[in-house]
Amino acid sequence: MLDFTEASLKKVLTRYNVALEKAMTPEDAAEELYPKDELIYPIAKAIFEGEEDDVIEGLQAAMDAGKDPIALIDDALMVGMGVVTNLYDEGIIFLPNVMMSADAMLDGIEFCKENSETAPVTKGTVVCHVAEGDVHDIGKNIVTALLRANGYDVVDLGRDVPVDDVVKAVAENNPIMVTGTALMTTTMYAFKEVNDKLLEKGYKLPFACGGGAVNQDFVSQYTLGVYGEEAADAPKIADAIIAGTTDIAALRDKFHKH
């Protein structure tokens, strides 16, 4: 008869990769993803750490070495944010970490703009708002920060936005997508009004909605609605749109989870 102690049994039952995952810190995981370029590496690391001053210092060093400021947005800042997004998707880091990194990246983008004579090419424009009657804008603020950090121009209409103002912003800015957030069940019905008025005006762009009061079944009831369960879904939906997935049904197939 084999005589296993509790300690030895745990060793037998613990897979190697599980033990490795427990031993690996978020910093260790990020280290494996950083670019190897000696000028880009410190910028990407500073983005992950959410250190605005270190981002600027790294960008300045790269510019002094001859790097183009606008090129650094894609080649360094976006790369660093990509590390953050990857680790967030894997559940290794959490939303507060992402927000810190996004803020650091936005500071970096502004610094690059200030040091260049040309404007960066953006992926597209997104109109964001909080439903009419709703003053809770934390979710919307996270969405706008993540969209900007991923290279989108954001028209931020703020909170408690009248339905007609949303439609007007679409007409004036030609966005690839509209986002709406609602925390109160009494206000989320404004999304249906936005949907109907957009259709009346001939606009058929995706309308990504989320927030504490909103669920997938509700969003699926109106023609343009695409449900985002988390704020981090907003840039993913936008990326899918510019990659060619503009059909609402296809976006729902991709992002609706239940």
Side-chain angles (χ1 to χ4, degrees):
M1 181 177 178
L2 295 176
D3 183 19
F4 284 116
T5 65
E6 183 178 356
S8 63
L9 187 60
K10 285 183 178 179
K11 288 183 180 180
V12 172
L13 295 178
T14 301
R15 292 180 295 114
Y16 169 75
N17 60 328
V18 171
L20 184 63
E21 288 168 5
K22 289 181 178 178
M24 181 177 284
T25 66
E27 290 73 21
D28 293 334
E31 197 67 40
E32 293 188 353
L33 300 176
Y34 292 142
K36 305 307 178 187
D37 186 299
E38 62 180 10
L39 290 173
I40 304 302
Y41 169 86
I43 301 171
K45 184 176 182 180
I47 291 289
F48 171 77
E49 295 174 345
E51 295 291 346
E52 293 94 339
D53 292 343
D54 291 345
V55 170
I56 302 304
E57 183 178 323
L59 289 170
Q60 186 63 65
M63 292 176 193
D64 291 343
K67 297 283 188 181
D68 177 69
I70 297 302
L72 284 170
I73 294 176
D74 283 331
D75 297 344
L77 296 175
M78 290 294 184
V79 170
M81 198 65 201
V83 172
V84 174
T85 301
N86 186 300
L87 297 182
Y88 176 77
D89 288 342
E90 294 295 324
I92 296 173
I93 60 174
F94 303 99
L95 196 55
N97 306 96
V98 177
M99 291 303 298
M100 288 176 59
S101 295
D103 287 343
M105 181 184 175
L106 292 173
D107 284 352
I109 290 174
E110 289 304 313
F111 183 75
C112 289
K113 288 180 181 179
E114 292 167 1
N115 284 273
S116 176
E117 296 179 358
T118 59
V121 177
T122 62
K123 292 181 179 180
T125 299
V126 180
V127 170
C128 300
H129 79 291
V130 180
E132 184 170 3
D134 202 321
V135 298
H136 304 90
D137 61 358
I138 293 177
K140 185 268 299 172
N141 292 342
I142 295 172
V143 167
T144 58
L146 294 179
L147 284 166
R148 285 172 173 146
N150 281 275
Y152 291 94
D153 277 338
V154 174
V155 178
D156 185 351
L157 300 179
R159 59 189 181 179
D160 185 16
V161 182
V163 169
D164 288 338
D165 287 359
V166 180
V167 178
K168 180 181 178 183
V170 170
E172 292 176 346
N173 295 281
N174 190 32
I176 64 167
M177 179 175 80
V178 179
T179 77
T181 59
L183 190 66
M184 301 164 60
T185 55
T186 54
T187 64
M188 67 182 188
Y189 297 98
F191 292 157
K192 180 66 165 59
E193 295 182 47
V194 170
N195 173 88
D196 292 349
K197 289 203 173 186
L198 287 173
L199 290 173
E200 285 175 11
K201 298 288 185 180
Y203 299 110
K204 297 182 179 180
L205 74 169
F207 182 19
C209 299
V214 183
N215 59 47
Q216 183 174 294
D217 289 340
F218 174 75
V219 176
S220 299
Q221 291 175 16
Y222 46 92
T223 304
L224 304 177
V226 179
Y227 178 63
E229 190 168 63
E230 299 178 352
D233 288 333
K236 294 176 185 177
I237 295 172
D239 284 346
I241 293 169
I242 63 170
T245 308
T246 56
D247 180 72
I248 304 299
L251 288 170
R252 288 177 177 177
D253 285 342
K254 187 175 182 67
F255 292 99
H256 287 198
K257 302 173 182 178
H258 310 297

